[in-house]
Amino acid sequence: MVKPICKDVMFLSKKAEIATAEDIHIAEDLLDTLKAHREGCVGMAANMIGINKAIIVVSMGLFDVAMLNPKIVKRLKPYEAEEGCLSLTGTRKCQRYDEIEVEWQDMNFNRQRSKYTGWIAEIIQHEIDHLNGVVI
């Protein structure tokens, strides 16, 4: 189900709670909401739809991926980026890494570990910042 976008900075500043199997519907709602905003959005975190759970979705080109309880475990090649967000007005400068490795759980709660580079890596970092209450 497509959900409205949360713009409450105080809510967005909270650290996300661990996602459980009972939260799968949140990932499905995030995927639906990302699809509805495809023209101006490439990733979302659960707090962007008003739910404080550690779930993100990322557009990876031909498909979208839901990541539950993602954690970046390796970062290489820092650079400065400027990013916007559906939940906030304008853009902000931030530090990102061109190469990252992420541990996460898929929609079946199977553990995954994947490496990402470039644009996809930047999207994942932005969404994980949301989970940590970092407002960028």
Side-chain angles (χ1 to χ4, degrees):
M1 173 182 283
V2 176
K3 299 290 187 175
I5 303 300
C6 175
K7 296 181 183 274
D8 179 346
V9 175
M10 293 302 288
F11 182 78
L12 295 168
S13 298
K14 294 180 181 178
K15 186 168 173 58
E17 298 173 4
I18 298 293
T20 66
E22 292 79 40
D23 298 320
I24 292 300
H25 70 282
I26 299 166
E28 293 165 352
D29 289 346
L30 268 175
L31 288 165
D32 291 343
T33 306
L34 176 62
K35 186 176 181 180
H37 292 276
R38 175 112 23 240
E39 286 184 29
C41 185
V42 291
M44 298 188 84
N47 64 355
M48 293 176 67
I49 60 169
I51 301 168
N52 194 28
K53 289 288 185 164
I55 304 170
I56 67 171
V57 294
V58 178
S59 174
M60 296 199 183
L62 297 175
F63 55 93
D64 298 334
V65 173
M67 297 178 162
L68 291 87
N69 303 312
K71 299 223 183 310
I72 299 172
V73 295
K74 191 174 190 180
R75 296 171 173 86
L76 298 169
K77 301 180 185 173
Y79 66 95
E80 186 175 288
E82 189 165 338
E83 300 173 352
C85 181
L86 275 182
S87 289
L88 305 166
T89 345
T91 60
R92 284 144 207 82
K93 290 185 180 190
C94 56
Q95 181 172 304
R96 295 292 180 226
Y97 296 85
D98 189 52
E99 297 177 18
I100 61 171
E101 192 165 340
V102 182
E103 290 181 350
W104 51 285
Q105 293 166 300
D106 63 23
M107 297 277 279
N108 296 313
F109 270 81
N110 295 316
R111 291 202 171 276
Q112 306 291 330
R113 187 176 181 122
S114 305
K115 294 180 182 180
Y116 299 95
T117 61
W119 180 235
I120 302 297
E122 186 172 334
I123 298 165
I124 292 169
Q125 291 168 82
H126 179 98
E127 303 314 332
I128 289 177
D129 274 357
H130 271 291
L131 301 183
N132 291 319
V134 177
V135 181
I136 291 181

